[in-house]
Amino acid sequence: MNLQESPELQSFREEVRAFLADNLPPDIKQKMEMGQSLKKDDYQRWMKILAGRGWLAAGWPEEHGGPGWTPAQRYIYDEEYGRHSCPRVLPFGVTMVGPVIIAFGNEEQKAEYLPKIANSDVWWCQGYSEPGAGSDLASLKTKAVKENGHYIVNGQKTWTTMAQYADWIFCLVRTSDEGKPQEGISFLLIDMKTPGITVKPIVTMDGGQEVNEVFLDDVKVPVENCIGDENKGWTIAKYLLGHERTGIAEVGKSRRQLQRVKDIAAAETIDGMPLIEDTAFRGKIAEVEIELLALDATILRMVSAEGAGKPPGPEASLLKIKGVELQQAITELLLEAIGNYGSPYIREAMDHGWNEPPIGPEYAAPVAPHYFNWRKSSIYGGSNEVQRSIIAKMVLGL
Amino acid sequence: MNLAPTEEQKLLIESVERFVEKDYPFEQRRELAASELGYSADHWATFAELGWLAIPFPEDQGGLGGSITDSCLIAEQLGRGLVVEPYLWTVILGGHLLSRSGRGDLVEQIATGVLQTAFGFAEPTSRYNLASVETSAADSGGWRLNGHKAVVFNAPAADTIIVTARTAGDPRDEEGISLFLVDPKDPGVTLRDYPTVDGLRAAEVILEDATGELLGDAGAAYPLVEETIDRGIAVVCAEAAGIMHTTLQMTREYTAQRKQFGVPLSKFQVLQHRMADMFNLTEQSISLSWVAAVKAESEDSLERARACSAAKVFIGKAGRQVGQESIQMHGGMGMTEEMPISHYFKRLTLIDTLFGNRDHHQRRYSDLLDDKRFAA
Ligand SMILES: Cc1cc2nc3c(=O)[nH]c(=O)nc-3n(C[C@H](O)[C@H](O)[C@H](O)COP(=O)(O)OP(=O)(O)OC[C@H]3O[C@@H](n4cnc5c(N)ncnc54)[C@H](O)[C@@H]3O)c2cc1C
């Protein structure tokens, strides 16, 4: 056992660090640091920059346009990425549909879709959940019926993140009612411009608009857009669940957010002294930091095992659970730190270019909305309850 | 010894319960919170008619001679409906300050529903220390005030704003703090209004040579400020207990009707146990808020402080867990603006930061640990 990075990894780290520092556009960096909302263009600009360096599809093999990094390099990349105030790489293309196409797509599909994902030419969204199918995803009802070389798709998806920006949606649809519900599901790629698709926004409790309902009404989808075999979509969905899991804890981001807690606690005062010197508050920071160390060490163990050819299986659910619990704990610390100024709510204050003087300290405005918004993280992507069930059943065999 | 509402109090509870059930559907709350005023003047008039605004004040000031416990029972029911009307700010804080300062003329106006008040006790860097007052007042043939009062709830609607200001001493001395009435229309008073994340209204109040009318004796207001905020704590704890009650009911109903895997979510034991925990926390919160209500009236300021801080710590923690769990068990629906549950969650969250959070009150409680009278 050895925590020392090899000289090669050290220089890799330097390279990543320098690239991110030199190439993150200052206006985007400022928005990130102020917790302001990002626009479609911000994500696109940044993802294009990463794509230009060949790092957008960070987990992909070289033959498909990825950097072909080892697990250790990937770990270092994620860590450095989190350290800088970079917007997150939207997962729908590069970590969701891309790997599915790599694993299950045919040659034409690979040639058609992968370069555009690695290049960030196309904006994807994920159409899994439905009003009646959340945790119980296999109960989904959106129907695809084959007719003259097309599927005719009817139904409704919901909670679709950033569907309002998306060019394409990947959907789980029902192609058969025979057998178990899992056995009649297929994985379809659908162009959002196809007639019959309507996107309706859902406003979240923080006032933001990031999720949508997507209605599909007689939407014609060429049969070539089915990935893998018809009725084998569930296998694909399960593959995705187990793919590229070490990044989901977002430890790097939590580390950066914890630093933000420290910075704000240094600026806030309590009875004339900096809040960061208050024993109770300091103790809470230490507690979260120790949890973060435990999580990071666990990731490092999994990454090391992966390097030796043993990629993590369902035990990676631990990373999702603990990762989001820590992210949520940090949003709470931020809210605690700003005291009375958690209350004011001016939605526009979270937008870049809002020119009025802030109410209270300038870092305060997004804090409470962010805390509210981040409750989502233990609900989506397999809720914490679902993840615990995975550990119970698939790891512990209960 | 009897920790139960009297017959008379039961009638009071029922009347508030009826109002919330009949006249305060959630859609209306949503509209009121988004309206120009931020609450309903008609409802306020109804509160006055029903006597709720007069309850805690002595009869010779136009009140009904009731107790803070009565007010807490009202607040608990108002909390169940997430009522936005400024009962806490005008009646409990403003009303008490005026009542104890011998301003029966103004108390009477509160009781009849024609006067709205706000209390500016916090400043940008005071955090939760009520003695941390940098706003200054000087007497030069009339008091002039200078300073900044932070997050003053109900200030946008207030006819008069009561503020703490320093007439002597150093920034965190308890001595030397005075109370003043300021007129929001005074040229020396600037309000920066805003909505709050939990659907209420507040303002930053900037005083620049503002004219102030002294309330009570100069320099000696701190004990009254602390007493008033303790009463506010008892009332907001009662509100929180009411919110938790509804939050649990909503979660229970939602999980009973939402099916996944062919069964209602409420059949999953792991969720049942967590709802049982929500129940435990809610019941204990109600109990402690009642104790705080009774003790808020205590002549002994330490006994009062201890009970109010204890309730605030417990309810801050309980509210956090009950709120977070309710959202989690609603799944994606809990995240939406459309569902009432998210609004209950937001108010419950912000109640922890009001009048001092868990850490603050745990510290205040700890300071009394060695007092022999309170040995547990
Ligand atoms: C902000 C946000 C963004 C999202 N983005 C997308 C997206 O882009 N694409 C997409 O397809 N979906 C998306 N989702 C949907 C998300 O995946 C679902 O919300 C999630 O699967 C939970 O489903 P549900 O909301 O229907 O909750 P439900 O399944 O109704 O669950 C409600 C509660 O019950 C618990 N529960 C359910 N079953 C069990 C059980 N068997 N045992 C114990 N507890 C249980 C759940 O964990 C949860 O706490 C998003 C959701 C949110 C909130």
Side-chain angles (χ1 to χ4, degrees):
Chain A
M1 257 183 267
N2 170 12
L3 290 169
Q4 196 64 46
E5 271 162 28
S6 67
E8 296 78 50
L9 284 180
Q10 271 171 26
S11 62
F12 174 73
R13 186 185 284 282
E14 293 303 325
E15 186 190 350
V16 172
R17 185 175 292 178
F19 179 82
L20 296 176
D22 295 347
N23 290 279
L24 182 61
D27 61 316
I28 297 182
K29 184 178 157 102
Q30 198 199 357
K31 284 187 190 184
M32 288 292 295
E33 283 171 356
M34 300 303 296
Q36 292 165 339
S37 28
L38 296 181
K39 301 282 175 266
K40 178 178 186 180
D41 167 71
D42 298 320
Y43 287 110
Q44 268 178 332
R45 256 191 304 152
W46 174 238
M47 297 205 313
K48 274 281 179 196
I49 291 169
L50 289 177
R53 183 69 183 79
W55 289 356
L56 180 65
W60 294 14
E62 265 179 293
E63 54 169 319
H64 295 301
W69 285 329
T70 62
Q73 282 177 307
R74 187 63 218 277
Y75 169 83
I76 286 171
Y77 179 75
D78 283 349
E79 190 175 83
E80 286 303 322
Y81 195 92
R83 225 186 274 279
H84 293 77
S85 302
C86 308
R88 72 180 179 132
V89 167
L90 295 174
F92 311 109
V94 295
T95 44
M96 293 181 173
V97 73
V100 161
I101 296 172
I102 291 174
F104 298 93
N106 57 35
E107 291 315 310
E108 291 86 69
Q109 288 167 335
K110 286 181 190 166
E112 171 64 26
Y113 297 106
L114 293 180
K116 290 181 193 159
I117 296 173
N119 255 326
S120 191
D121 292 335
V122 170
W123 189 299
W124 284 89
C125 65
Q126 179 193 24
Y128 278 20
S129 308
E130 297 182 4
S135 301
D136 181 14
L137 187 57
S139 69
L140 62 93
K141 289 202 176 73
T142 296
K143 231 180 157 66
V145 178
K146 220 189 260 177
E147 236 180 66
N148 310 327
H150 283 87
Y151 289 104
I152 308 296
V153 183
N154 279 289
Q156 185 198 337
K157 294 293 172 183
T158 193
W159 311 122
T160 323
T161 300
M162 300 200 199
Q164 73 268 39
Y165 300 150
D167 304 305
W168 281 73
I169 181 169
F170 58 95
C171 285
L172 291 178
V173 296
R174 183 152 304 285
T175 38
S176 164
D177 290 317
E178 317 252 307
K180 291 203 295 184
Q182 288 84 348
E183 288 163 8
I185 292 172
S186 301
F187 193 102
L188 282 193
L189 310 183
I190 305 177
D191 185 338
M192 290 293 280
K193 287 188 296 296
T194 323
I197 299 182
T198 317
V199 176
K200 261 183 70 184
I202 300 173
V203 178
T204 44
M205 68 164 114
D206 54 301
Q209 203 253 287
E210 61 184 75
V211 284
N212 303 270
E213 295 179 288
V214 176
F215 297 89
L216 301 123
D217 183 18
D218 282 336
V219 177
K220 252 174 104 173
V221 182
V223 287
E224 303 85 76
N225 291 15
C226 182
I227 302 290
D229 293 337
E230 194 176 274
N231 296 331
K232 290 284 178 256
W234 192 250
T235 317
I236 297 179
K238 277 199 305 194
Y239 167 81
L240 243 189
L241 258 182
H243 184 80
E244 259 210 80
R245 301 298 294 284
T246 51
I248 54 180
E250 298 197 77
V251 168
K253 183 180 148 196
S254 286
R255 220 178 259 131
R256 192 177 77 234
Q257 288 295 86
L258 198 57
Q259 184 56 48
R260 199 170 144 72
V261 174
K262 292 177 187 170
D263 293 344
I264 289 178
E268 289 284 324
T269 56
I270 179 164
D271 292 339
M273 78 179 179
L275 177 63
I276 188 112
E277 285 170 26
D278 174 67
T279 324
F281 197 75
R282 224 179 152 72
K284 287 189 225 185
I285 295 180
E287 200 176 318
V288 170
E289 197 164 300
I290 291 165
E291 295 247 353
L292 204 53
L293 290 177
L295 182 59
D296 189 39
T298 307
I299 294 173
L300 196 54
R301 258 175 77 208
M302 288 190 190
V303 165
S304 304
E306 194 175 357
K310 281 199 257 27
E315 65 271 23
S317 286
L318 175 165
L319 307 183
K320 169 83 183 359
I321 297 169
K322 298 312 290 182
V324 304
E325 282 181 355
L326 280 174
Q327 291 157 27
Q328 290 177 334
I330 293 169
T331 63
E332 277 183 56
L333 284 183
L334 285 168
L335 186 57
E336 271 187 49
I338 62 170
N340 295 310
Y341 282 110
S343 287
Y345 177 67
I346 298 186
R347 182 75 211 162
E348 306 80 61
M350 277 162 270
D351 290 336
H352 193 63
W354 190 68
N355 280 326
E356 291 178 41
I359 291 167
E362 59 177 355
Y363 47 73
V367 170
H370 186 62
Y371 167 74
F372 298 141
N373 178 275
W374 216 251
R375 301 313 305 170
K376 71 186 177 188
S377 64
S378 51
I379 295 170
Y380 65 33
S383 71
N384 278 7
E385 289 75 21
V386 166
Q387 303 291 351
R388 284 189 167 88
S389 293
I390 290 175
I391 293 179
K393 294 205 179 76
M394 295 166 70
V395 182
L396 303 176
L398 302 175
Chain B
M1 220 185 316
N2 183 11
L3 197 60
T6 60
E7 287 309 313
E8 219 177 316
Q9 286 173 331
K10 279 186 195 151
L11 293 177
L12 176 64
I13 293 173
E14 276 166 27
S15 85
V16 188
E17 201 175 16
R18 251 193 325 272
F19 165 79
V20 168
E21 240 164 53
K22 288 222 177 71
D23 301 324
Y24 220 82
F26 190 78
E27 283 319 303
Q28 202 194 87
R29 192 262 184 195
R30 196 193 295 280
E31 280 166 27
L32 289 177
S35 68
E36 170 102 35
L37 183 60
Y39 66 89
S40 157
D42 288 347
H43 285 332
W44 197 251
T46 306
F47 288 12
E49 257 164 56
L50 293 168
W52 301 348
L53 306 182
I55 278 184
F57 306 119
E59 281 161 23
D60 60 8
Q61 291 183 332
L64 293 174
S67 65
I68 190 79
T69 314
D70 299 332
S71 296
C72 284
L73 294 172
I74 291 176
E76 187 179 324
Q77 296 304 318
L78 295 178
R80 289 189 181 192
L82 210 61
V83 167
V84 291
E85 276 62 25
Y87 188 76
L88 173 59
W89 321 112
T90 292
V91 178
I92 304 302
L93 301 186
H96 188 68
L97 292 170
L98 293 168
S99 174
R100 290 287 304 264
S101 309
R103 293 300 301 266
D105 55 328
L106 296 178
V107 173
E108 202 164 335
Q109 293 182 34
I110 290 180
T112 52
V114 296
L115 185 79
Q116 285 289 350
T117 67
F119 181 26
F121 52 89
E123 298 189 352
T125 59
S126 71
R127 216 168 175 80
Y128 305 123
N129 183 348
L130 298 171
S132 180
V133 176
E134 289 183 37
T135 296
S136 64
D139 189 2
S140 45
W143 291 96
R144 294 282 169 171
L145 276 65
N146 283 285
H148 179 166
K149 290 295 168 183
V151 198
V152 185
F153 284 91
N154 204 37
D159 302 298
T160 183
I161 300 174
I162 305 164
V163 298
T164 49
R166 187 160 290 290
T167 43
D170 289 329
R172 283 185 299 282
D173 288 351
E174 290 177 9
E175 296 287 319
I177 294 173
S178 310
L179 287 165
F180 293 90
L181 290 171
V182 298
D183 179 353
K185 290 192 279 298
D186 182 285
V189 180
T190 311
L191 258 61
R192 190 156 174 225
D193 299 5
Y194 46 81
T196 64
V197 291
D198 46 355
L200 305 179
R201 298 298 165 85
E204 298 300 290
V205 178
I206 314 294
L207 306 165
E208 289 160 307
D209 276 330
T211 309
E213 186 186 339
L214 183 67
L215 206 56
D217 295 332
Y222 185 77
L224 176 58
V225 170
E226 205 186 3
E227 176 184 295
T228 304
I229 295 299
D230 273 340
R231 293 165 72 96
I233 288 172
V235 168
V236 84
C237 283
E239 180 190 342
I243 293 174
M244 284 186 235
H245 173 90
T246 304
T247 298
L248 173 58
Q249 293 315 315
M250 285 176 167
T251 307
R252 202 179 130 228
E253 281 159 27
Y254 183 80
T255 54
Q257 60 89 53
R258 166 81 172 165
K259 282 188 179 167
Q260 288 288 274
F261 305 100
V263 292
L265 293 175
S266 58
K267 292 292 166 215
F268 295 120
Q269 196 174 40
V270 64
L271 302 188
Q272 288 176 351
H273 284 190
R274 283 156 59 184
M275 280 185 264
D277 285 337
M278 287 170 73
F279 171 82
N280 298 345
L281 291 169
T282 301
E283 289 303 313
Q284 292 183 88
S285 295
I286 294 171
S287 313
L288 264 191
S289 82
W290 288 6
V291 170
V294 174
K295 301 256 180 170
E297 216 111 40
S298 172
E299 291 292 311
D300 180 341
S301 65
L302 293 183
E303 190 175 305
R304 185 196 70 218
R306 186 170 178 268
C308 291
S309 283
K312 194 69 176 44
V313 170
F314 189 91
I315 281 159
K317 267 195 204 156
R320 166 178 172 271
Q321 185 172 337
V322 169
Q324 292 180 351
E325 288 286 57
S326 71
I327 298 301
Q328 182 69 19
M329 286 188 240
H330 275 75
M333 289 307 290
M335 288 300 303
T336 62
E337 174 75 13
E338 190 193 334
M339 291 287 276
I341 192 73
S342 67
H343 300 263
Y344 281 77
F345 168 63
K346 287 193 275 187
R347 176 81 187 123
L348 208 41
T349 303
L350 268 296
I351 283 178
D352 184 46
T353 66
L354 189 62
F355 307 139
N357 68 359
R358 285 165 278 159
D359 282 3
H360 175 81
H361 284 287
Q362 192 145 315
R363 210 172 291 126
R364 189 169 178 241
Y365 185 96
S366 312
D367 288 344
L368 300 173
L369 275 183
D370 301 326
D371 195 314
K372 290 284 181 296
R373 284 176 311 156
F374 302 136

